[in-house]
Amino acid sequence: MALGFGFNKVKVMAAAEKYVQSGKLQNAIAEYEKVVKEDPKDLTVLNTIGDLCSRIGQNEHAVHYFKKVGEAYATAGFTVKAIAMYKKLTKLSPHSLECLQRLAELYTVQGLYNDARSQYVAVAETHLKSGNNDDAAKSFQKILELDPDNTAMQTKLADLYIKLGKKTEARAIYFTAAQSLYAKQSMEAADEALAKVLQLDPKNVMRCSCAELSRRSPATALMLSII
């Protein structure tokens, strides 16, 4: 197939394949790059270049090509194929927040919420290690959008809000966690969450709501009676 004036794709592809067979991978990459210069939508060749770059340790170049393929699939609505590409990317670049975040988004689009949650947890933990608490909070929010009754994530987000000085938001999250925990009959953990609500609510703005919950827990009822 000729593309453009004087360019023969079949001939160039054959030359690239010969280089691969003889182990001259850098030469093969150079030939394949001639193809994508003329035919940038050839995803098979883009993916092949990424694989070859990875084999010779040129990971940054591999990431560049795999992203092109992944985003092309995502744009075309082939989410499963896009997920496969971003799984390759996260193995190649496990600490790339961009790749982790994008994979989480693609899992969400595909309805794979448990997988999406795992990716968002990895993103949040990476942000926390870097001291980026605001971004970590956004990731925990994403997790709770997928799993609103996850009390462990609720508590982590509330604790993070306290560090960020967002006491109103923290109080609301702790109260939601307390409600979920009482519903699960996890009374001790619920009492702990509600105690944090009351610590953050010195003016007792939420006292009536806490009192309603306290009917389920003698410990919380006692706590309310002495504040």
Side-chain angles (χ1 to χ4, degrees):
M1 180 193 301
L3 292 171
F5 183 75
F7 182 81
N8 190 307
K9 182 176 180 179
V10 173
K11 184 177 179 180
V12 176
M13 290 283 288
E17 288 163 11
K18 285 184 180 179
Y19 280 129
V20 171
Q21 290 169 4
S22 62
K24 298 178 180 179
L25 302 188
Q26 190 64 65
N27 296 82
I29 290 169
E31 293 299 309
Y32 281 126
E33 286 179 334
K34 293 177 184 177
V35 174
V36 295
K37 182 178 180 181
E38 295 292 330
D39 187 7
K41 294 183 179 180
D42 190 326
L43 301 185
T44 300
V45 174
L46 288 168
N47 186 52
T48 299
I49 297 173
D51 285 332
L52 293 174
C53 287
S54 178
R55 285 172 62 181
I56 62 175
Q58 294 181 358
N59 288 350
E60 287 187 12
H61 287 107
V63 166
H64 169 75
Y65 285 106
F66 287 148
K67 279 184 181 177
K68 279 181 174 289
V69 177
E71 286 308 306
Y73 280 139
T75 300
F78 299 122
T79 309
V80 173
K81 290 184 177 181
I83 287 171
M85 291 308 306
Y86 271 92
K87 286 175 74 173
K88 288 175 72 170
L89 279 162
T90 55
K91 289 179 181 178
L92 194 62
S93 185
H95 302 298
S96 170
L97 284 170
E98 180 186 354
C99 293
L100 291 170
Q101 180 87 22
R102 188 66 176 121
L103 183 54
E105 292 168 356
L106 290 167
Y107 276 138
T108 302
V109 171
Q110 191 63 23
L112 300 171
Y113 300 126
N114 286 338
D115 293 318
R117 182 178 59 200
S118 296
Q119 293 301 313
Y120 279 125
V121 168
V123 173
E125 289 176 349
T126 302
H127 281 310
L128 287 174
K129 288 177 183 178
S130 302
N132 298 324
N133 290 341
D134 281 308
D135 289 327
K138 291 176 183 177
S139 296
F140 284 125
Q141 288 168 351
K142 289 286 188 181
I143 295 167
L144 289 175
E145 288 175 12
L146 297 170
D147 188 7
D149 293 325
N150 189 322
T151 52
M153 292 299 110
Q154 288 170 341
T155 300
K156 285 187 177 182
L157 178 56
D159 291 343
L160 197 53
Y161 276 147
I162 290 176
K163 290 182 180 179
L164 293 169
K166 298 180 178 181
K167 293 185 178 181
T168 300
E169 290 87 344
R171 185 181 65 199
I173 293 289
Y174 281 133
F175 186 73
T176 300
Q179 289 177 308
S180 297
L181 289 163
Y182 278 130
K184 297 174 184 176
Q185 296 298 304
S186 301
M187 308 307 285
E188 185 175 345
D191 287 342
E192 290 178 4
L194 205 54
K196 290 180 178 179
V197 174
L198 295 169
Q199 289 171 6
L200 292 168
D201 190 19
K203 295 183 179 180
N204 296 318
V205 173
M206 299 181 71
R207 186 181 180 89
C208 291
S209 297
C210 292
E212 178 64 28
L213 283 183
S214 75
R215 295 178 186 176
R216 310 177 199 179
S217 168
T220 302
L222 177 61
M223 180 170 55
L224 280 167
S225 70
I226 60 177
I227 63 173

